[in-house]
Amino acid sequence: MAAALPPVTATSGGTRRRPEARVTWESGKMAAPRAVGPGPAPLLRITAECGRSRARAGELRLPHGPVPCPVFMPVGTRGTAKGVTAAQLAALGCRICLGNTYHLGTRPGPELVQRAGGLHGFMDWPHNLLTDSGGFQMVSLVELSEVTEEGVRFRSPYGGEEILLSPEKSIEIQNALGADIMMQLDDVVSSTTTGPRVEEAMHRSVRWLDRCIAANRRPEQQKLFAIIQGGLDPALRTKCLEEMTRRDVPGFAIGGLSGGEEKDRFWRMVKLSTDRLPRDKPRYLMGVGYATDLVVCVALGCDMFDCVFPTRTARFGSALVPWGSLQLKNKQFAKDFRPIDENCDCPTCQRHNRAYLHALIRSETAALHHLTIHNIAYQLNLMGSIRESILAQRFPEFVREFMSTMYGARERVPAWVVEALATVGISLD
């Protein structure tokens, strides 16, 4: 049975690795593990593709039911999206959400979660789950972590003890949590980092992928995704793509972006990645949740997204709408008896008006709960509209309508958006 993250023990140096996970370098190339026998059925079933851009619609075939794509996945770090219950999330139509391996691995610990029937039983969630590997905490908890070939040493934010998260331990925890999709442990650096550390992290992420593949005890039930790294360097990202696509994994994530880099560099790395990833496997763009980014990156060929943005911005009193956002703390809403969005069918918009939410928002947490419900519904409805437009072969028209509603005049649309869309054949004129 899986145990909580262990304290670091003294070693004589070197890398702890299972023999079957070892890799070799010959002429600068890594030897990939060989696939044995016929593989499982593809995880992604593509049902429609845009005739002009790279957008596609389909479904993920997972143990806890099909998931329509493109899909936005709410983030439930400790077994719940902040401010909503699992039942409320399901009622909004969510069929997959995230859990965090690092946080669940430290508190309450994988052993307790496994005794409750895995994370599904622990949080009473009948639908699909994706767990990240804990790698992002190398950035978010950078002052508390140290990276070596063995893994990541963290200083626990709870008791201060030192703990080790290796590729093997990350997969052990994720196996115990029972997520339908698991992420490899990757060596994560900030997207604005430059220099040799970016190349080091890219090569280490490839090596750690092999260790994660070897450690997965339930490959049929729990699908392991690789994470493409390489920062903003096209050559490094291309090299990572070449190596990781040689591994027989069910899906790929595009990592190391959406961390403060310029949008012009962001979209180019997304497109470079989708251009080289297999057509028949899901493409997961990590940490992206702004509405405009979602629309553009679907056009570039991405299928899956996650971000804390809709729930976090709700806690600051901001409601997402097709024309941007409403800051409901502002006085202009004190006597506004309209719903947040008259065309939204979420419980908040059906029951409450802007004046009511404005009155509560500075003193009652219930207002933040209502905004969280609305913002998640907005994200899910947006993805539903994108899917419908792809199925109806009118995605370019949808993009133009979306941008017109969001920005008004054509000249107000950000230049990076116009340029990115033009590379896949969508004009806003």
Side-chain angles (χ1 to χ4, degrees):
M1 183 174 291
L5 295 174
V8 171
T9 55
T11 66
S12 59
T15 302
R16 292 181 191 167
R17 238 186 243 165
R18 297 186 180 190
E20 69 272 24
R22 286 183 179 148
V23 295
T24 59
W25 289 88
E26 297 178 5
S27 303
K29 293 186 177 181
M30 180 175 284
R34 295 182 179 179
V36 179
L43 176 59
L44 175 67
R45 183 174 73 91
I46 299 172
T47 54
E49 296 180 277
C50 175
R52 184 175 296 273
S53 72
R54 301 201 67 201
R56 69 255 192 100
E59 67 176 16
L60 299 173
R61 296 181 287 189
L62 292 167
H64 289 83
V67 177
C69 290
V71 61
F72 178 82
M73 304 175 288
V75 178
T77 301
R78 302 176 189 276
T80 181
K82 288 187 178 179
V84 296
T85 67
Q88 289 171 323
L89 204 56
L92 293 175
C94 178
R95 294 299 175 261
I96 183 169
C97 66
L98 268 66
N100 183 283
T101 295
Y102 171 79
H103 289 292
L104 290 167
T106 52
R107 286 188 180 182
E111 183 176 14
L112 187 147
V113 174
Q114 191 174 42
R115 288 173 59 190
L119 189 52
H120 291 89
F122 190 65
M123 61 183 285
D124 191 24
W125 177 250
H127 305 295
N128 296 286
L129 288 166
L130 181 152
T131 44
D132 70 5
S133 63
F136 179 70
Q137 275 63 49
M138 297 180 204
V139 174
S140 64
L141 299 177
V142 63
E143 295 180 356
L144 302 175
S145 65
E146 176 190 1
V147 184
T148 67
E149 190 65 24
E150 188 176 13
V152 193
R153 289 179 173 85
F154 290 100
R155 180 74 61 182
S156 172
Y158 303 115
E161 69 275 12
E162 199 173 51
I163 53 180
L164 172 68
L165 185 66
S166 66
E168 293 78 14
K169 177 55 67 173
S170 174
I171 296 301
E172 179 185 339
I173 294 171
Q174 293 185 79
N175 278 152
L177 297 176
D180 304 271
I181 297 176
M182 308 188 300
M183 305 307 299
Q184 74 154 109
L185 183 66
D186 53 338
D187 187 353
V188 184
V189 295
S190 169
S191 62
T192 57
T193 299
T194 58
R197 178 69 181 96
V198 181
E199 182 172 7
E200 175 191 51
M202 183 276 287
H203 288 303
R204 181 173 287 133
S205 293
V206 177
R207 295 193 295 271
W208 282 4
L209 171 59
D210 290 332
R211 292 167 62 184
C212 288
I213 292 171
N216 187 7
R217 296 182 290 105
R218 306 178 71 234
E220 296 299 320
Q221 298 84 6
Q222 295 181 266
K223 306 300 184 182
L224 177 65
F225 279 28
I227 303 178
I228 306 299
Q229 291 291 347
L232 301 176
D233 186 318
L236 291 180
R237 195 162 283 268
T238 298
K239 176 64 175 177
C240 191
L241 283 155
E242 290 172 352
E243 292 294 347
M244 287 192 170
T245 54
R246 294 171 63 211
R247 274 71 179 165
D248 186 19
V249 293
F252 294 89
I254 302 169
L257 298 175
S258 194
E261 72 276 8
E262 295 179 358
K263 289 291 189 181
D264 188 62
R265 304 187 74 184
F266 160 78
W267 79 260
R268 293 179 189 278
M269 292 300 100
V270 173
K271 186 174 188 299
L272 181 149
S273 301
T274 56
D275 283 348
R276 291 163 174 79
L277 286 171
R279 173 188 174 275
D280 60 344
K281 293 185 178 183
R283 304 163 183 160
Y284 166 25
L285 181 55
M286 306 180 80
V288 169
Y290 294 149
T292 296
D293 297 5
L294 294 173
V295 172
V296 171
C297 292
V298 167
L300 296 178
C302 297
D303 307 303
M304 304 165 64
F305 306 87
D306 82 284
C307 192
V308 298
F309 170 68
T311 51
R312 179 172 290 169
T313 197
R315 297 196 295 277
F316 287 95
S318 184
L320 304 179
V321 289
W323 56 95
S325 63
L326 303 179
Q327 181 48 259
L328 292 174
K329 291 180 180 179
N330 293 346
K331 290 182 179 180
Q332 71 189 81
F333 299 111
K335 297 180 181 180
D336 189 337
F337 298 104
R338 294 174 295 172
I340 294 172
D341 180 359
E342 294 175 345
N343 296 315
C344 179
D345 61 358
C346 81
T348 299
C349 289
Q350 293 300 306
R351 297 170 186 168
H352 306 296
N353 57 54
R354 299 174 184 182
Y356 172 75
L357 296 169
H358 170 84
L360 296 185
I361 206 161
R362 294 185 183 277
S363 58
E364 299 291 340
T365 57
L368 306 183
H369 165 80
H370 293 315
L371 288 186
T372 300
I373 291 285
H374 167 79
N375 283 358
I376 292 175
Y378 171 82
Q379 300 285 99
L380 299 180
N381 289 338
L382 172 62
M383 302 311 290
S385 297
I386 291 173
R387 284 194 301 272
E388 291 172 5
S389 73
I390 298 170
L391 292 169
Q393 290 299 317
R394 59 174 309 274
F395 179 68
E397 290 80 8
F398 170 86
V399 173
R400 285 188 282 270
E401 293 165 2
F402 172 88
M403 296 299 171
S404 177
T405 301
M406 180 66 71
Y407 296 102
R410 159 68 171 76
E411 56 269 20
R412 294 180 60 192
V413 179
W416 75 269
V417 172
V418 177
E419 189 172 1
L421 292 173
T423 65
V424 289
I426 296 180
S427 170
L428 299 182
D429 296 326

